[in-house]
Amino acid sequence: MKIQYIVILVTAKDKKEAEKIAQGLLVAKLIACANIIEGVQSLFWWQGKIDSSKEVLLILKTKKILFKKVMAKVKSLHSYQTPEIIALPIVAGSEDYLSWIHSSCG
């Protein structure tokens, strides 16, 4: 069976929290890489009304088989009651890069 890879998107309240989440996932070998993008403006439904917040976006690369462990770790490190943790399949990529993801995480 061919290994499947995913990109996981997680928003966090600030850069410090994003770095804490990324470090925790890297140390646990659950991801190969985390990109942190500051200055994200989020608009969303929360508790029956439209809300907004400045956030930081984490873009995580890993194996699909590790998603549940990544999700549990993110939840344990995150301050939000309901953090965004969504996965998108990597449908194609450089074989060198995918091989690097494979060798970099559990």
Side-chain angles (χ1 to χ4, degrees), residues 4-86:
Q4 295 178 313
Y5 302 97
I6 57 175
V7 170
I8 302 172
L9 304 177
V10 176
T11 50
K13 68 178 181 177
D14 57 29
K15 186 176 178 186
K16 184 177 178 180
E17 181 172 72
E19 289 173 345
K20 179 177 109 175
I21 292 167
Q23 285 289 335
L25 293 167
L26 287 163
V27 168
K29 300 283 279 180
L30 294 175
I31 62 169
C33 175
N35 304 111
I36 297 174
I37 301 172
E38 294 184 84
V40 173
Q41 181 66 35
S42 298
L43 299 162
F44 50 91
W45 281 100
W46 186 247
Q47 299 179 340
K49 64 179 182 172
I50 295 175
D51 201 348
S52 68
S53 181
K54 285 190 176 182
E55 295 183 297
V56 175
L57 177 65
L58 287 110
I59 303 172
L60 313 170
K61 277 74 81 175
T62 191
K63 299 173 190 172
K64 182 179 179 184
I65 197 166
L66 295 174
F67 179 73
K68 287 184 181 180
K69 289 180 180 180
V70 170
M71 184 171 53
K73 186 71 169 175
V74 169
K75 286 182 176 182
S76 76
L77 296 169
H78 212 293
S79 65
Y80 290 179
Q81 179 182 343
T82 308
E84 172 186 0
I85 309 168
I86 58 173

